[in-house]
Amino acid sequence: GITSSLRTLVGGEVSQITSVIHDGRLNAIERLHQEARNRGADGVTGMSSEIVQHFGNVEFLSVGSCVKTRDGGGKHPFSTSADGKELYCQLDAGFHPIKFVFGNVAYSIGLGGGLMGALRSIRRGEVPEYSGVFYRTRHLALERIQAEAFAAKANSVVGIRTSIIPYQGMQEMVMVGTASRHPALPEPASAADVVTSGLTNEEMWNLVRLGFRPIQLVLGVSVYALGVVGGVAAFIKSFERGEVPQLSSLIYEARANALLQVKRQAEACGADDVVGVKTYVYQLMGGLIEFLVIGTAVK
């Protein structure tokens, strides 16, 4: 607790909290797998990994549905985040599920980033201290889900879903998906070579039939401040009906910056396109906004 409090002041990942959450999630998942084995299941579908807070205590909950196949043995059941319809699409597209996997990171802006960020947020534009913290933490979660998939001898992680969860004054970025194998994808030499996709399994099914294959999940992050002058102008404008141009232009710039990061990552991995692009806007403290873009680079 003391160490994590000090780390919170520094900013970035709070590894003690990340470890606690990771272990809690993992214990719940392992107990689900054991229950599936006890029931003679050949697989578990629709798996989730949730955090429920109870007056200072934390419950880690994992839920799924046991399934049987015609010729399964129930000794090593697969697990997937896909529900029944998504599992059909996943299998029919050639991705064979191995294991439900996740990557998480608990993070804090920190005192240093907070002070410098507060000073920079006086003027209008990007706040690189905040953008840097958020960019690093989101990529850490992606690296960790790839590492889990590589350890499970998978060559891909499909159906990745991303969540940002408040946790005891910090934030947890968590990615969940299904470590899978596809015979047409290359064998990864390291965790960084594991193919990742943020598409739903239904989208993936359509993508494969169009002749595309996923390469990696790409994401861009930008944190912008309205600034003191812009904030006052926006506040005055908000008394009138209609557009608040100061906010419109700020969000537009943040979006353009995040999309540019996605484009550069896609070019770096030799992609032909980025599909399934999803955009998120989060309002932070002190008139700051975070713009997050997530997509899947494809060939």
Side-chain angles (χ1 to χ4, degrees):
I2 292 171
T3 307
S4 65
S5 297
L6 293 173
R7 182 62 194 167
T8 302
L9 296 176
V10 175
E13 183 183 12
V14 185
S15 55
Q16 295 82 4
I17 303 299
T18 298
S19 178
V20 166
I21 298 175
H22 179 272
D23 291 349
R25 288 186 186 276
L26 195 61
N27 283 340
I29 290 168
E30 286 301 321
R31 289 175 184 175
L32 183 147
H33 283 151
Q34 185 57 53
E35 186 169 337
R37 287 190 288 268
N38 292 344
R39 292 177 179 272
D42 298 315
V44 183
T45 65
M47 267 188 66
S48 64
S49 178
E50 305 167 31
I51 294 179
V52 185
Q53 304 201 32
H54 301 283
F55 305 103
N57 295 314
V58 182
E59 175 191 9
F60 297 94
L61 177 65
S62 194
V63 179
S65 297
C66 292
V67 295
K68 290 282 289 182
T69 62
R70 291 189 181 93
D71 53 357
K75 293 182 179 179
H76 302 288
F78 69 85
S79 56
T80 175
S81 59
D83 61 21
K85 181 169 65 174
E86 290 179 322
L87 178 59
Y88 171 82
C89 292
Q90 183 178 341
L91 290 168
D92 201 54
F95 290 90
H96 298 279
I98 298 174
K99 182 183 178 184
F100 176 94
V101 288
F102 71 93
N104 75 311
V105 54
Y107 61 95
S108 165
I109 291 176
L111 185 61
L115 287 174
M116 289 301 297
L119 291 173
R120 287 186 184 268
S121 65
I122 293 173
R123 62 174 177 80
R124 184 186 183 284
E126 186 180 13
V127 186
E129 288 78 11
Y130 293 139
S131 292
V133 168
F134 284 57
Y135 185 87
R136 288 191 298 273
T137 54
R138 277 131 182 71
H139 279 86
L140 270 176
L142 180 59
E143 290 169 10
R144 286 169 181 168
I145 199 171
Q146 286 178 296
E148 283 207 3
F150 184 71
K153 297 183 174 12
N155 60 8
S156 59
V157 186
V158 296
I160 294 176
R161 295 195 295 267
T162 303
S163 302
I164 298 171
I165 302 168
Y167 185 87
Q168 298 182 1
M170 288 167 279
Q171 304 285 332
E172 184 206 18
M173 169 84 167
V174 60
M175 292 183 176
V176 302
T178 305
S180 308
R181 288 195 66 85
H182 194 293
L185 292 178
E187 197 66 28
S190 66
D193 299 324
V194 173
V195 169
T196 51
S197 168
L199 298 171
T200 68
N201 287 290
E202 293 163 272
E203 291 170 333
M204 181 68 73
W205 185 88
N206 282 289
L207 188 79
V208 169
R209 269 146 188 75
L210 288 171
F212 289 87
R213 66 175 177 88
I215 301 176
Q216 69 177 50
L217 184 146
V218 288
L219 60 90
V221 180
S222 58
V223 178
Y224 271 61
L226 191 57
V228 174
V229 175
V232 172
F235 177 73
I236 294 171
K237 183 66 178 176
S238 67
F239 287 99
E240 304 174 13
R241 182 182 181 276
E243 183 183 12
V244 183
Q246 294 84 359
L247 285 174
S248 293
S249 62
L250 184 76
I251 294 172
Y252 184 88
E253 289 177 23
R255 178 188 292 113
N257 188 24
L259 284 167
L260 182 60
Q261 295 174 33
V262 164
K263 180 183 177 183
R264 287 171 176 166
Q265 290 171 44
E267 289 172 347
C269 68
D272 295 320
D273 203 349
V274 179
V275 298
V277 175
K278 299 176 181 67
T279 58
Y280 307 90
V281 179
Y282 299 101
Q283 185 175 350
L284 307 175
M285 58 184 180
L288 298 170
I289 63 164
E290 179 201 3
F291 202 93
L292 173 65
V293 176
I294 298 177
T296 301
V298 299
K299 290 282 288 184

